[in-house]
Amino acid sequence: MRICFVCSGNVCRSITAEILLRQMIKDQGLNDVSVFSMGTSNIGQQPCDGMMVRIAMSYGYEMTGTSTFMRKDALMEADLILVMTYTHMMEVRNILPHYRWGAIRLFNEYCFGKDIPVNDPSFMPEPVYRQTFLWLQKGCRVIIDRLKTNSLDYDDCK
């Protein structure tokens, strides 16, 4: 099982979700699950958002690495692609063949049944970042529960 998170620049939301889920997978001893993230905007190799790094550290998570621009070959390997907004969904659809669209889901819809985006906290006050972090953490716990019960509810269109 390969799970991919996608946001705009891959320096805040998607990379945070990746770090959270990767650590939770490790903590739960789940095998055969990998996670990665990418951004729809080619911003070069930028470091993780400093505010989000500090917040993640305060909760015991280490955020390192640089942004990754979205690539078709990597997306084709993902069993589940969780996007933060409908704009991201459309951008992923623009590079994937139609038969792979079933693997693309809005993060909030998949985790919480909510048809709303995960808004970008960039350049907002710290409480907005913290709220986004905690929301992503809560969603990743839902994903872990689904992994543990084999009820991922995704369309494996490979």
Side-chain angles (χ1 to χ4, degrees), residues 5-39:
F5 294 102
V6 175
C7 73
S8 300
N10 189 228
V11 295
C12 197
R13 292 168 291 177
S14 60
I15 189 68
T16 299
E18 174 190 348
I19 298 299
L20 289 166
L21 189 60
R22 180 176 289 133
Q23 185 62 49
M24 291 177 190
I25 287 167
K26 180 180 176 185
D27 292 347
Q28 294 293 318
L30 297 173
N31 297 319
D32 300 324
V33 180
S34 63
V35 59
F36 64 102
S37 62
M38 295 187 283

Side-chain angles (χ1 to χ4, degrees), residues 130-148:
R130 191 169 302 278
Q131 180 181 26
T132 301
F133 177 88
L134 293 172
W135 188 253
L136 291 169
Q137 184 181 49
K138 184 176 178 180
C140 286
R141 286 184 180 132
V142 170
I143 296 167
I144 288 294
D145 288 343
R146 289 180 173 194
L147 285 166
K148 287 167 49 176

Side-chain angles (χ1 to χ4, degrees), residues 11-144:
V11 295
C12 197
R13 292 168 291 177
S14 60
I15 189 68
T16 299
E18 174 190 348
I19 298 299
L20 289 166
L21 189 60
R22 180 176 289 133
Q23 185 62 49
M24 291 177 190
I25 287 167
K26 180 180 176 185
D27 292 347
Q28 294 293 318
L30 297 173
N31 297 319
D32 300 324
V33 180
S34 63
V35 59
F36 64 102
S37 62
M38 295 187 283
T40 60
S41 299
N42 190 356
I43 61 172
Q45 290 190 325
Q46 298 296 316
C48 299
D49 183 286
M51 178 71 74
M52 193 60 89
V53 168
R54 287 189 295 281
I55 290 170
M57 283 179 56
S58 75
Y59 288 94
Y61 294 90
E62 183 180 353
M63 285 183 66
T64 60
T66 58
S67 58
T68 302
F69 180 55
M70 185 169 62
R71 294 184 343 266
K72 181 179 179 177
D73 62 322
L75 289 170
M76 288 295 289
E77 294 178 9
D79 299 298
L80 178 62
I81 303 165
L82 295 172
V83 298
M84 300 297 154
T85 70
Y86 280 110
T87 300
H88 301 136
M89 183 178 289
M90 295 308 299
E91 292 180 63
V92 172
R93 284 181 176 178
N94 282 338
I95 65 170
L96 285 182
H98 184 266
Y99 72 89
R100 292 288 294 133
W101 288 8
I104 310 164
R105 301 284 296 275
L106 185 67
F107 179 89
N108 278 335
E109 183 274 324
Y110 181 79
C111 294
F112 306 112
K114 295 179 181 273
D115 191 20
I116 57 172
V118 176
N119 292 321
D120 189 353
S122 295
F123 308 107
M124 301 296 284
E126 182 176 340
V128 177
Y129 277 86
R130 191 169 302 278
Q131 180 181 26
T132 301
F133 177 88
L134 293 172
W135 188 253
L136 291 169
Q137 184 181 49
K138 184 176 178 180
C140 286
R141 286 184 180 132
V142 170
I143 296 167
I144 288 294

